């Protein structure tokens, strides 16, 4: 069966209703948060370039450096291939990130073709590029390609949200959360959005910033 592609709020609402009908905790989360956001974004080289920029940075720093990278033209793979390390670092990239961006450009990924591939192939293709781990690849598939059943179980906020919402004794590890999420197929990507949305509301309610 072809993978479901999320295209906007109506798709998210359909998945959220399915989850809420089968899991009372998702029903409670949805009642508390209201509609879950789609968080969809553009795909392609620029999206992954910005993902590399954002690694291990605060949101503010990632935005600032991302803007410099874009202004320098380094959201274009040809420009990155033509640039030397000095030019990339002048845009605010660390030495490792300059190397990762180069590797992404040199990988010459056919992004339209990638978008037609099954999610497991998308993730495998992306993690073969230095500097792109499973989390980044799954986030790309989830938000840039709109895959309804991709679940980035390595995400710390997802793991903590699951601990709280399901009243688990400990924060689940990545493998444990992946196993837990099997019950949420074929809407695991919507479940992730619900967990993030509920966690944001819960932390605000508790005064955690």
């Amino acid at each position: 069966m072809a993978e479901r592609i999320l295209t906007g709020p109506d798709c998210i609402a359909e998945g959220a209703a399915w989850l809420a009908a089968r899991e009372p905790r998702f029903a409670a989360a949805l009642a508390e948060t209201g509609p879950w956001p789609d968080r969809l974004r553009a795909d392609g080289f620029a999206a992954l370039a910005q993902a590399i920029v954002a690694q291990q940075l605060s949101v503010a720093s990632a935005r600032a450096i991302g803007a410099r990278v874009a202004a320098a033209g380094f959201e274009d793979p040809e420009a990155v291939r033509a640039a030397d390390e000095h030019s990339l670092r002048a845009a605010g990239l660390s030495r490792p990130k300059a190397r990762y961006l180069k590797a992404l450009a040199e990988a010459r990924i056919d992004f339209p073709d990638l978008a037609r591939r099954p999610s497991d192939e998308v993730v495998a293709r992306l993690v073969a590029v230095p500097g792109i781990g499973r989390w980044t690849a799954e986030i790309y598939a989830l938000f840039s390609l709109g895959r309804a059943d991709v679940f980035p179980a390595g995400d710390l906020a997802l793991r903590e949200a699951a601990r709280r919402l399901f009243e688990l004794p400990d924060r689940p590890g990545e493998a444990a959360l992946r196993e837990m999420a099997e019950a949420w197929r074929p809407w695991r990507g919507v479940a992730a959005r619900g967990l993030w949305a509920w966690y944001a509301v819960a932390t605000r309610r508790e005064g955690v910033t």
Side-chain angles (χ1 to χ4, degrees):
M1 186 172 66
E3 290 183 78
R4 180 70 181 265
I5 304 299
L6 302 172
T7 58
D10 288 348
C11 296
I12 304 300
E14 181 184 348
W18 187 95
L19 291 162
R22 287 159 178 79
E23 172 50 65
R25 291 177 180 84
F26 278 127
L30 185 59
E32 189 170 357
T33 63
W36 298 336
D38 62 46
R39 299 177 66 178
L40 296 171
R41 61 186 70 152
D43 67 344
F45 182 88
L48 282 169
Q50 290 295 336
I52 288 171
V53 168
Q55 290 173 359
Q56 299 179 319
L57 292 178
S58 68
V59 172
S61 295
R63 285 176 178 166
I65 297 175
R68 291 172 63 185
V69 166
F74 295 145
E75 290 186 328
D76 181 289
E78 291 186 12
V80 175
R81 287 194 290 269
D84 57 20
E85 182 180 305
H86 175 77
S87 299
L88 293 169
R89 296 204 64 197
L93 294 170
S94 65
R95 183 172 283 109
K97 288 184 181 180
R99 187 168 65 250
Y100 298 155
L101 195 59
K102 270 281 194 184
L104 177 61
E106 295 294 348
R108 299 178 185 272
I109 294 171
D110 182 338
F111 286 100
D113 178 71
L114 188 70
R116 294 189 288 269
R117 300 289 180 176
S119 292
D120 58 350
E121 288 187 27
V122 171
V123 171
R125 178 69 180 92
L126 293 180
V127 299
V129 179
I132 297 180
R134 183 170 184 175
W135 180 87
T136 299
E138 289 177 334
I139 289 292
Y140 180 84
L142 184 63
F143 295 129
S144 292
L145 300 184
R147 300 303 172 87
D149 200 38
V150 169
F151 189 81
D155 187 88
L156 184 60
L158 277 187
R159 290 161 55 197
E160 179 61 15
R163 181 188 73 80
R164 293 187 183 201
L165 183 61
F166 288 86
E167 300 180 322
L168 304 176
D170 299 295
R171 182 188 298 159
E174 180 174 350
L177 185 55
R178 284 194 192 281
E179 182 177 354
M180 184 177 177
E182 285 296 310
W184 309 333
R185 287 180 180 272
W187 293 104
R188 291 180 299 169
V190 176
R193 288 168 168 85
L195 286 168
W196 277 315
W198 180 82
Y199 184 62
V201 169
T203 52
R204 283 198 301 269
R205 184 177 62 238
E206 296 163 9
V208 178
T209 58

